[in-house]
Amino acid sequence: MDTFGLKIIASDGVFYEGRCRKLVIPAADGEKGIMANHENMVIAIVIGTARMEIEEGKWVDIALGRGFAEVVNNRVTLLVDTAEKPEEIDVRHAKEQKERAEEKLRQKQSIQEYYHTQASLARAMNRLKVSQGKRWNL
């Protein structure tokens, strides 16, 4: 099967650079799958779990923050706030973040603070989900 070039850049540096067989990313209107020779496009990425198949049957889950993906000439570039592998996630810290965000949601906040807290809760819950190590077989 064909592959494409994939580069994932998070705010703290290059997370991954290499070849990929398939990529599934979280988008505002649902998950988007990308394979070799995909049509050129730009996709908004939301907080969620991305899955990439580097070798036949070997899927890797990634906890992604917001950003966007650019698909051009059989190369995909993801620019995201955060990107973490399951083994890199500090579960205790993620649980604390989740609890803090849930408590803040129970308090009176401005609209801006409310959306910021919702985003913090979504990030924490996504990190916990990815850290559970659920593997996907597509």
Side-chain angles (χ1 to χ4, degrees), residues 2-6 16-21 53-54 74-75:
D2 290 340
T3 62
F4 57 90
L6 174 62
Y16 176 81
E17 187 169 10
R19 304 303 294 174
C20 185
R21 293 169 50 87
E53 184 182 34
I54 300 171
N74 210 34
R75 284 186 298 250

Side-chain angles (χ1 to χ4, degrees), residues 54-84:
I54 300 171
E55 299 172 8
E56 180 78 36
K58 182 183 174 194
W59 288 88
V60 177
D61 290 349
I62 307 164
L64 288 184
R66 295 180 186 180
F68 71 92
E70 178 188 52
V71 182
V72 177
N73 297 330
N74 210 34
R75 284 186 298 250
V76 179
T77 303
L78 272 60
L79 294 172
V80 292
D81 293 336
T82 58
E84 295 176 282

Side-chain angles (χ1 to χ4, degrees), residues 9 30 80 86 103 112 126:
I9 304 168
V80 292
E103 178 59 34
Q112 183 178 5
N126 183 57

Side-chain angles (χ1 to χ4, degrees), residues 76-125:
V76 179
T77 303
L78 272 60
L79 294 172
V80 292
D81 293 336
T82 58
E84 295 176 282
K85 295 177 187 171
E87 60 271 14
E88 296 173 344
I89 295 172
D90 181 348
V91 175
R92 185 184 56 76
H93 183 66
K95 284 181 181 177
E96 289 171 1
Q97 288 178 321
K98 178 181 178 276
E99 291 168 7
R100 273 195 306 272
E102 288 172 337
E103 178 59 34
K104 273 188 92 173
L105 283 174
R106 289 189 278 275
Q107 300 169 1
K108 187 171 182 165
Q109 303 179 64
S110 69
I111 294 294
Q112 183 178 5
E113 290 171 326
Y114 173 78
Y115 287 126
H116 180 73
T117 303
Q118 266 191 330
S120 295
L121 180 59
R123 281 191 303 274
M125 291 178 68

Side-chain angles (χ1 to χ4, degrees), residues 27-42:
D29 57 345
E31 290 185 328
K32 300 290 184 197
I34 300 169
M35 296 176 69
N37 304 308
H38 194 283
E39 175 181 37
N40 294 347
M41 62 175 38
V42 174

